[in-house]
Amino acid sequence: MRLLFEMDKKDYGGCTRTFTRDSARSIIFRNGKIAMIHSQKYDYYKFPGGGIESGENPIEAMIRETQEEAGLTVIPESIQEYGYVHRIQKSDRDPSECFVQDNYYYVCDAVGGLASQDLDAYEKAESYQLEYVDPAFAIEKNRKVKDSPYNRMMFEREARVLEMLLSEGLIE
């Protein structure tokens, strides 16, 4: 899979441990818009997807997470690799730990209405909601997030992937 870009803060000097948590995300287009999960609480957008569990491959994780977060059932035959983003930085929680993450993105088709959301407690607390949005709108929103417990690199990562999709003509 191709590397889309790296996000390296180069702030991890002195780290003695590494924590790795890879994720997989779906890119689903519909009528010139893109499927995104909107956090109603913090007003940001993210691609449906999440962490890869032990024993899962990235595609299995993307299918499972897309169904859980968005209530969308991915059509396996439609899955195509798009690329991955490599992120590395000092952990927000432990100054002796380095956080490393590869975020795998897959373009695919999905059908809705076959499953309902199955959200974790924090996802429910944020009122995750599936929305089909204009990519430029999601980019603008993510770059204006002010109040959130998350590292801003997450919002920027999603904005940059959206910009790549636009620049490559995959969505208008």
Side-chain angles (χ1 to χ4, degrees):
M1 183 177 289
R2 73 178 173 145
L3 173 65
L4 300 173
F5 54 89
E6 287 187 327
M7 301 182 85
D8 187 344
K9 281 190 142 182
K10 300 186 187 312
D11 65 349
Y12 38 81
C15 290
T16 58
R17 295 177 296 124
T18 299
F19 175 71
T20 302
R21 176 78 166 142
D22 294 340
S23 73
R25 306 187 179 286
S26 59
I27 300 171
I28 301 168
F29 305 111
R30 186 164 292 154
N31 299 324
K33 297 191 177 195
I34 193 155
M36 302 289 288
I37 300 300
H38 184 204
S39 167
Q40 302 289 311
K41 183 174 183 177
Y42 297 114
D43 201 20
Y44 68 83
Y45 287 92
K46 70 181 234 30
F47 289 93
I52 300 170
E53 301 294 335
S54 178
E56 273 185 323
N57 67 45
I59 291 175
E60 292 166 338
M62 180 271 298
I63 291 170
R64 175 184 53 77
E65 285 281 352
T66 299
Q67 185 167 336
E68 289 174 3
E69 286 188 354
L72 296 173
T73 302
V74 172
I75 301 167
E77 309 80 62
S78 71
I79 299 170
Q80 298 177 336
E81 291 182 354
Y82 181 65
Y84 74 99
V85 175
H86 181 71
R87 176 179 162 191
I88 183 169
Q89 69 182 82
K90 184 180 282 190
S91 170
D92 292 336
R93 297 186 179 127
D94 181 346
S96 68
E97 189 171 73
C98 179
F99 178 70
V100 179
Q101 185 176 54
D102 285 333
N103 299 273
Y104 300 97
Y105 291 84
Y106 297 90
V107 174
C108 56
D109 292 324
V111 293
L114 300 179
S116 59
Q117 286 179 303
D118 182 17
L119 301 176
D120 293 335
Y122 83 92
E123 295 167 335
K124 287 178 185 174
E126 288 192 39
S127 299
Y128 272 13
Q129 186 172 68
L130 171 67
E131 294 180 15
Y132 288 90
V133 298
D134 176 88
F137 178 76
I139 291 167
E140 181 181 339
K141 278 285 192 185
N142 277 17
R143 291 197 167 137
K144 291 182 177 178
V145 174
K146 289 184 178 17
D147 189 30
S148 157
Y150 304 114
N151 188 291
R152 297 197 56 76
M153 286 179 80
M154 180 183 80
F155 311 126
E156 183 60 22
R157 178 193 70 218
E158 303 295 56
R160 287 180 62 186
V161 171
L162 286 165
E163 286 176 334
M164 289 187 74
L165 292 165
L166 287 166
S167 72
E168 292 173 356
L170 292 175
I171 193 164
E172 298 173 3

